[in-house]
């Protein structure tokens, strides 16, 4: 249940901003010499609860970034952002990367490293404490962060799914 029900269907009315997370130069050695190509991890978001990531590969950096942006627009998810932070703590794992997200009070800022920071700022989170454990590979960090954000649920959704009132959710 990793974010299948919070997919964003239409992207044509959204103002998406893209952020480059990482570029990797790949060398293929053939009989005729070395061939260079580039892969780019890109995160797009509207800074209001919608975020997506994509991977683009091409022989030029700009083409790789453009392909990454197009791929990112195809897998957008909706994230519940409440008062600039996340609704609850979340732990997620992808590959060797393990990420931990914790809500923070107003004014804390985004306390997160490189790849996680790009994803969290693109979704519009302004106050969060985040820790990355395990692998620091940007591919797996971005994917683990997206899994964590996809598993977040706000109190209204939980109450609706359980068929109870909002007050009963907070009682326990």
């Amino acid at each position: 249940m990793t974010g299948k029900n919070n997919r964003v269907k239409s992207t044509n009315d959204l103002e998406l901003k893209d952020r480059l997370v990482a570029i990797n130069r790949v060398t293929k050695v053939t009989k005729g010499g070395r061939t260079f190509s580039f892969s780019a991890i890109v995160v797009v978001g509207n800074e209001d609860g919608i975020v997506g990531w994509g991977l683009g590969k091409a022989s030029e950096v700009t083409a790789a970034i453009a392909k990454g942006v197009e791929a990112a627009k195809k897998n957008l998810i909706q994230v519940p952002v409440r008062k600039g932070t996340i609704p609850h703590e979340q732990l997620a794992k992808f590959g060797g990367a393990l990420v931990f997200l914790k809500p923070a009070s107003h004014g804390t800022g985004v306390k997160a490293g490189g790849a996680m920071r790009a994803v969290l700022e693109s979704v519009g989170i302004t106050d969060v404490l985040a820790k990355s454990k395990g692998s620091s590979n940007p591919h797996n960090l971005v994917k683990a962060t997206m899994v964590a954000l996809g598993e977040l649920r706000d109190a209204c959704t939980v109450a609706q799914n359980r068929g109870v009132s909002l007050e009963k959710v907070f009682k326990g």
Side-chain angles (χ1 to χ4, degrees):
M1 195 171 133
T2 56
K4 297 294 181 206
N5 56 353
N6 55 356
R7 285 250 185 240
V8 176
K9 306 288 189 267
S10 153
T11 61
N12 41 359
D13 58 340
L14 297 173
E15 289 276 332
L16 297 172
K17 298 176 184 164
D18 55 285
R19 285 176 182 250
L20 182 64
V21 176
I23 295 179
N24 190 22
R25 187 178 83 170
V26 181
T27 308
K28 179 182 177 185
V29 180
T30 60
K31 186 170 71 173
R34 294 183 181 96
T35 306
F36 297 106
S37 64
F38 298 90
S39 67
I41 308 169
V42 182
V43 174
V44 298
N46 69 346
E47 296 178 357
D48 193 29
I50 293 177
V51 69
W53 74 275
L55 178 65
K57 298 179 181 180
S59 57
E60 296 177 7
V61 174
T62 53
I65 294 171
K67 284 182 179 181
V69 169
E70 290 306 310
K73 288 179 181 177
K74 291 178 184 172
N75 68 32
L76 295 173
I77 61 168
Q78 178 81 37
V79 178
V81 179
R82 191 172 153 267
K83 296 181 182 175
T85 189
I86 57 177
H88 55 84
E89 292 183 1
Q90 189 64 48
L91 187 71
K93 184 174 171 59
F94 190 95
L98 181 71
V99 298
F100 176 68
L101 303 175
K102 187 176 180 179
S105 59
H106 181 71
T108 304
V110 178
K111 302 292 184 198
M116 289 176 68
R117 175 181 288 273
V119 176
L120 294 170
E121 287 178 349
S122 292
V123 78
I125 295 172
T126 56
D127 304 301
V128 69
L129 300 170
K131 181 67 182 165
S132 131
K133 300 175 182 178
S135 173
S136 60
N137 180 349
H139 288 267
N140 288 342
L141 269 180
V142 167
K143 292 173 190 175
T145 307
M146 291 295 290
V147 168
L149 292 175
E151 291 175 353
L152 289 174
R153 299 286 173 257
D154 61 337
C156 297
T157 309
V158 171
Q160 188 178 9
N161 290 347
R162 293 180 186 173
V164 297
S165 67
L166 199 58
E167 293 79 28
K168 194 164 184 181
V169 170
F170 286 111
K171 282 185 182 176

